[in-house]
Amino acid sequence: MKSSYLIIVAISILTSCHPVKMAVIQDDFESDSLQSIWSKEKFIPGALEIQSAYVRSGEKAAKLTLHQGDQIDKEKGSNLERAELREPKSLMAKEEGSYSYSFSLFLPSDFPIVPTRLVIAQWKQNCQSGNCDPNNPVIALRYESGVFRITLQVGPEKTTLYSQTESILNKWMDFRFNIRFSRKQDGQISAWMDNNEIIDYKGATAYSETFGYPDPGNFYFKLGLYRDQMVQPMTIYIDDYKKQQIKRF
């Protein structure tokens, strides 16, 4: 009995020190319909297509198209337009946890190059009260005026972590982000684009309760097209999405 008890205690200690990776959450978009790891709340009917003309791997990939006036119900009459895949809140990342995300994006050669605000992927901190300010994404991939940027915001101002003026159009971009969400200085972001490391950041990666966010926080991921209203349509292709919890890095 005593030896069995010691073994159980030892396993418990090792598990707490070295958490086991969570099951991989992924979507290669090979099915004809959207998997349940995505919510349909952030795009209007007809905006999503599972197609085979542009793929990163396999035979299919997701295609999101956004037209002027495409607004989800609660944003009708605003200046916002969106067509995004959003993970459900049941799959949100937790503060003080470390997570790895990978995904591939493709913007076609005729994609509009305009100064309009556009976010093509983002991590949002969940605001339970509905009264958080600022309510901007913590991490955002932005494309405006032909400049691709990755920004961090955990207070009133944005910080640019990466910027590229070289065209990102007409080619698949493969991203991997390792993120530790924390409102303290032990947060971390490591990011790779096409296997090249582009970000190695240490510091706060979450809004504090000062801005209305609960402690601890939760974070959900979205990718697609989120912009201010404009005339030109936009299309983005998405493939090879994967998320899992990892050991602290």
Side-chain angles (χ1 to χ4, degrees), residues 230-247:
M230 59 175 282
V231 175
Q232 296 101 315
M234 290 179 172
T235 296
I236 191 170
Y237 299 86
I238 303 166
D239 208 352
D240 294 346
Y241 172 74
K242 182 185 294 184
K243 171 190 175 182
Q244 69 181 133
Q245 191 167 4
I246 58 175
K247 296 178 182 179

Side-chain angles (χ1 to χ4, degrees), residues 189-209:
I189 304 169
S190 296
W192 294 262
M193 179 178 176
D194 301 331
N195 291 321
N196 298 310
E197 187 172 31
I198 56 174
I199 296 173
D200 182 14
Y201 169 85
K202 295 178 177 65
T205 53
Y207 291 101
S208 72
E209 58 272 24

Side-chain angles (χ1 to χ4, degrees), residues 79-112:
N79 192 44
L80 302 177
E81 299 172 335
R82 72 169 81 223
E84 295 178 297
L85 302 183
R86 191 205 77 190
E87 66 175 351
K89 292 185 177 180
S90 61
L91 296 179
M92 287 190 296
K94 300 182 184 302
E95 189 167 352
E96 304 296 341
S98 298
Y99 298 83
S100 180
Y101 298 80
S102 60
F103 51 93
S104 296
L105 301 176
F106 182 94
L107 302 179
S109 57
D110 60 352
F111 194 89

Side-chain angles (χ1 to χ4, degrees), residues 16-230:
S16 64
C17 295
H18 303 283
V20 177
K21 289 184 179 181
M22 67 183 289
V24 175
I25 299 170
Q26 67 182 67
D27 193 351
D28 296 329
F29 302 99
E30 293 299 307
S31 302
D32 291 330
S33 58
L34 198 62
Q35 290 193 27
S36 60
I37 65 168
W38 303 113
S39 166
K40 299 179 181 180
E41 296 178 357
K42 298 299 183 181
F43 61 89
I44 67 171
L48 172 71
E49 179 187 352
I50 306 298
Q51 53 77 58
S52 57
Y54 293 92
V55 301
R56 183 65 183 92
S57 66
E59 298 180 355
K60 299 177 184 177
K63 173 185 177 183
L64 285 170
T65 302
L66 184 61
H67 297 93
Q68 184 180 25
D70 286 355
Q71 297 179 317
I72 59 176
D73 287 342
K74 72 176 185 177
E75 292 174 349
K76 289 187 180 300
S78 73
N79 192 44
L80 302 177
E81 299 172 335
R82 72 169 81 223
E84 295 178 297
L85 302 183
R86 191 205 77 190
E87 66 175 351
K89 292 185 177 180
S90 61
L91 296 179
M92 287 190 296
K94 300 182 184 302
E95 189 167 352
E96 304 296 341
S98 298
Y99 298 83
S100 180
Y101 298 80
S102 60
F103 51 93
S104 296
L105 301 176
F106 182 94
L107 302 179
S109 57
D110 60 352
F111 194 89
I113 299 177
V114 291
T116 304
R117 178 181 62 143
L118 172 67
V119 178
I120 58 176
Q122 58 179 298
W123 286 262
K124 284 291 297 285
Q125 190 165 344
N126 191 39
C127 177
Q128 293 180 356
S129 68
N131 296 311
C132 301
D133 185 23
N135 192 25
N136 296 328
V138 173
I139 306 166
L141 280 62
R142 303 174 183 273
Y143 187 59
E144 301 159 13
S145 299
V147 179
F148 172 68
R149 293 187 299 141
I150 301 175
T151 61
L152 171 70
Q153 185 166 1
V154 293
E157 303 297 329
K158 294 182 184 69
T159 299
T160 296
L161 300 179
Y162 175 76
S163 180
Q164 174 180 316
T165 57
E166 179 184 349
S167 177
I168 62 171
L169 303 185
N170 202 37
K171 59 185 177 182
W172 281 99
M173 298 175 287
D174 301 325
F175 294 99
R176 179 163 64 90
F177 284 80
N178 289 350
I179 305 172
R180 174 176 167 79
F181 294 103
S182 175
R183 67 194 66 203
K184 298 179 290 188
Q185 292 303 305
D186 62 349
Q188 190 169 349
I189 304 169
S190 296
W192 294 262
M193 179 178 176
D194 301 331
N195 291 321
N196 298 310
E197 187 172 31
I198 56 174
I199 296 173
D200 182 14
Y201 169 85
K202 295 178 177 65
T205 53
Y207 291 101
S208 72
E209 58 272 24
T210 304
F211 302 102
Y213 293 89
D215 183 11
N218 294 297
F219 306 81
Y220 56 92
F221 179 64
K222 301 188 292 182
L223 71 170
L225 300 165
Y226 172 74
R227 71 184 190 184
D228 292 331
Q229 192 174 54
M230 59 175 282

